[in-house]
């Protein structure tokens, strides 16, 4: 799967989880940049990404996730 396909799928997930149909992701985006991104929505987002791509994050993977670009890179490495 190409990076652009991953970005598009993750964007759909973010828009659904954070109930923001106009949300546009960028690699440097963090939780501080999304109004509804808190600990609960973070867990929902992680679970939705796992379900969409068919894998489970390991704790070491989750610890790497500081911004959206990190998430995309970890997903890319799992596929």
């Amino acid at each position: 799967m190409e990076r652009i396909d991953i970005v598009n799928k993750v964007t759909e997930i973010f828009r659904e989880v954070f109930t923001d149909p106009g949300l546009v992701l960028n690699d440097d985006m963090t939780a501080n940049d999304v109004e509804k991104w808190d600990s609960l929505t973070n867990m929902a987002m992680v679970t939705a990404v796992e379900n969409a791509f068919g894998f489970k994050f390991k704790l070491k993977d989750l610890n790497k996730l500081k911004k959206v670009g990190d998430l995309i890179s970890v997903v890319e490495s799992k596929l």
Side-chain angles (χ1 to χ4, degrees):
M1 181 176 278
E2 297 290 323
R3 184 176 178 86
I4 188 66
D5 299 322
I6 295 168
V7 170
N8 289 338
K9 197 168 205 174
V10 170
T11 298
E12 289 176 27
I13 292 166
F14 270 62
R15 288 176 176 173
E16 184 176 321
V17 169
F18 299 114
T19 59
D20 183 351
L23 187 61
V24 177
L25 301 184
N26 67 65
D27 282 349
D28 293 323
M29 184 178 281
T30 68
N32 293 330
D33 300 317
V34 180
E35 185 178 332
K36 297 177 183 176
W37 195 341
D38 59 21
S39 59
L40 292 176
T41 54
N42 189 69
M43 291 181 67
M45 179 270 296
V46 166
T47 300
V49 169
E50 289 176 331
N51 291 337
F53 291 100
F55 67 84
K56 295 288 185 191
F57 287 106
K58 294 183 179 182
L59 183 57
K60 69 178 184 170
D61 297 324
L62 293 173
N63 288 332
K64 294 177 187 176
L65 305 182
K66 306 298 182 209
K67 54 188 179 174
V68 171
D70 299 336
L71 174 65
I72 302 299
S73 294
V74 170
V75 170
E76 216 173 5
S77 74
K78 298 281 187 189
L79 300 178

